[in-house]
Amino acid sequence: MSGPVLDTTGPAAPPRSNGELVFAAPWEGRAFGLAVALAEAEVFTWDGFRDRLVARIAADPAAPYYGCWLAACEDALVAAGRLDGAEVLTRAADLAARPAGHDDADHDHTDHAR
């Protein structure tokens, strides 16, 4: 099995600096890894994910790249029948309600783990 092949040019190409991928925040790297892992696990196809990413970017060219990336991942999961749209919205609201930096801080999650 071969892994996803990232575009190096065009709208689907991730931000890079000196050829290396650039993540402005830790969640961007996690979103990147999540999509790659899901494609490698054949939960969805990389080409299908890429097409959704290009569509998301085209729909809102001013949106942050990894915001589009995450939305494309959600779209691919819904299209693959792994999540329904309402479930995505519920999970996103739960995650958005957590304190800023929640996932990046070194603290105990046992009191609020889901």
Side-chain angles (χ1 to χ4, degrees), residues 39-98:
E40 287 179 345
E42 299 179 355
V43 172
F44 51 67
T45 67
W46 187 255
D47 288 344
F49 167 75
R50 183 192 169 284
D51 292 346
R52 287 174 177 82
L53 175 59
V54 169
R56 284 286 186 164
I57 292 169
D60 186 1
Y65 178 84
Y66 281 105
C68 292
W69 180 282
L70 189 56
C73 189
E74 293 169 356
D75 293 345
L77 287 168
V78 170
R82 300 299 181 122
L83 293 175
D84 66 37
E87 189 174 5
V88 170
L89 293 175
T90 299
R91 288 185 182 197
D94 288 348
L95 293 172
R98 298 190 312 189

